[in-house]
Amino acid sequence: MTLRHKILVATAVTMVLVLGLMSASLGVGAYSRANIEHDRVGTLVARVVQEWILSDPTLQRREPPSIDTWVDLSRKLSGSPFFRNWVIVDSTATVVARDPNVENWNQLAANASTAAALKSKRMSVDADRVYFPLQLPSDVGLYAMTCDISKLVVPESYIADTITNVLGVM
């Protein structure tokens, strides 16, 4: 192999390595931005439900809410296209309200992430589900909600679109 070929091979290998490192870096950045956006959507969902709770006069009473107390909130959640497969549980993981269309509500109520949201009083997002504590204005009990984030709120693929755009720029 001549010196000329060696230089060309070394240059080509260097260019491929640089392109690979740039692609990997941009891919990691896109993945990070997608996770941040997913967390923002989870926070938005939690805030909407919390505002609905604060605006519901039946949930502002000083006594612990009964099953009938959650009817208005259940109607709002079921009527909204943004919430799917939702379950509200109390501190003992007993379901107090649920989406009438969800069939595996016992599994959703007993989920470890729902229990963690109750214990830590913090929101968490896992794939397409959000888990968050609910604060009643009267502080009569601790509740948590879990729900699927609707595809209307979150586009189907952040990463694929971002990587396509990145490769288009290159």
Side-chain angles (χ1 to χ4, degrees):
M1 187 182 265
T2 65
L3 181 60
R4 182 177 174 185
H5 285 101
K6 287 180 182 178
I7 291 173
L8 286 174
V9 168
T11 304
V13 168
T14 303
M15 289 175 63
V16 167
L17 286 175
V18 168
L19 181 65
L21 288 174
M22 283 179 52
S23 297
S25 174
L26 291 171
V28 167
Y31 184 74
S32 174
R33 283 192 304 277
N35 284 338
I36 289 169
E37 185 64 25
H38 216 63
D39 287 344
R40 284 183 186 160
V41 168
T43 301
L44 174 68
V45 166
R47 285 183 181 171
V48 166
V49 174
Q50 191 63 49
E51 284 301 317
W52 282 351
I53 286 174
L54 292 175
S55 67
D56 189 348
T58 58
L59 291 171
Q60 295 185 15
R61 298 183 187 142
R62 291 283 173 206
E63 66 268 4
S66 65
I67 299 295
D68 297 331
T69 310
W70 298 95
V71 171
D72 289 336
L73 182 63
S74 297
R75 193 175 306 121
K76 285 180 182 179
L77 290 169
S78 296
S80 173
F82 302 116
F83 303 98
R84 296 179 295 116
N85 300 331
W86 57 270
V87 173
I88 299 174
V89 298
D90 63 8
S91 58
T92 62
T94 304
V95 175
V96 294
R98 68 179 177 92
D99 185 354
N101 300 323
V102 68
E103 294 177 11
N104 61 341
W105 54 272
N106 284 329
Q107 293 173 350
L108 295 175
N111 191 320
S113 297
T114 307
L118 277 167
K119 186 176 181 181
S120 68
K121 297 182 182 176
R122 292 188 153 201
M123 186 227 26
S124 65
V125 179
D126 179 26
D128 288 336
R129 295 199 65 75
V130 62
Y131 309 89
F132 54 94
L134 297 175
Q135 297 174 346
L136 290 148
S138 56
D139 285 333
V140 292
L142 190 57
Y143 298 89
M145 180 174 169
T146 177
C147 70
D148 287 346
I149 300 174
S150 172
K151 298 297 181 194
L152 295 171
V153 179
V154 181
E156 283 197 33
S157 65
Y158 293 115
I159 298 172
D161 294 338
T162 305
I163 290 175
T164 302
N165 291 339
V166 165
L167 293 177
V169 169
M170 289 181 162

